Amino acid sequence: MPLYIDSLSLISLNLQRIANGERVSVIPIGSLTSTQWQAINAYRAQESLPILQDPEILFLGRHLHASRRGDGYSIEDMLTQIASALHAESEFVPTRKMTALRNPRAREDGYGNHVHDLAVLELSARRPKAELFSTIPRGDHIKPPETSK
């Protein structure tokens, strides 16, 4: 599994601290599978971009928290999105705008949607490792109610 055993509790702590206006540190949260890592590197080589040297995934969380909180999602929702998007079955999505992994299995999000979670990875800021920059629950046409903030 790409996420380390204690990652969700560490991610939750970072997100809670961000919500409280505190500073947080970058933490290692998991590792790409061999298949994910190879697919990302094959695409990057094809596009004449530097390959990802290390499959480990790091996390800070500021952008993810701001983006998903702005959409009305709770920290618990964000943890579910992260776990789904970084699942071992998630597949590399080739795109010029971002490096992403997408869970091919739809997930009921609790708000009436069946979503495919997408993990957006930043590959240059924390070289030689990837950083989980954000998640996107693709297909979330019905947003969480304001009370879940």
Side-chain angles (χ1 to χ4, degrees):
M1 178 171 192
L3 287 176
Y4 298 145
I5 292 172
D6 61 345
S7 290
L8 289 177
S9 62
L10 296 173
I11 292 167
S12 178
L13 184 58
N14 260 27
L15 293 172
Q16 290 169 7
R17 292 180 67 201
I18 290 167
N20 293 334
E22 299 173 37
R23 293 184 57 86
V24 295
S25 298
V26 174
I27 55 172
I29 61 167
S31 186
L32 297 166
T33 66
S34 177
T35 301
Q36 293 165 343
W37 191 35
Q38 289 172 10
I40 289 169
N41 280 337
Y43 179 79
R44 291 184 64 79
Q46 172 188 317
E47 297 297 313
S48 300
L49 296 168
I51 63 168
L52 184 59
Q53 297 292 323
D54 190 315
E56 188 167 56
I57 303 168
L58 304 175
F59 181 75
L60 184 64
R62 282 192 209 109
H63 178 80
L64 187 147
H65 182 271
S67 296
R68 299 297 68 86
R69 195 62 154 172
D71 289 340
Y73 289 107
S74 68
I75 289 175
E76 193 61 40
D77 291 330
M78 292 177 221
L79 295 172
T80 301
Q81 292 165 5
I82 291 167
S84 173
L86 292 178
H87 194 275
E89 293 180 4
S90 292
E91 300 165 343
F92 170 62
V93 178
T95 171
R96 290 194 180 272
K97 292 184 178 184
M98 64 183 161
T99 301
L101 296 174
R102 178 182 175 269
N103 191 325
R105 293 182 186 230
R107 169 183 71 79
E108 165 47 56
D109 71 353
Y111 302 104
N113 302 298
H114 286 85
V115 299
H116 291 271
D117 294 299
L118 189 79
V120 179
L121 303 174
E122 165 58 51
L123 301 185
S124 58
R126 312 244 183 241
R127 279 189 197 168
K129 300 176 182 182
E131 177 185 353
L132 175 61
F133 186 67
S134 193
T135 57
I136 303 169
R138 294 279 190 203
D140 65 339
H141 306 292
I142 302 168
K143 300 291 184 185
E146 289 294 317
T147 57
S148 69
K149 281 189 173 184

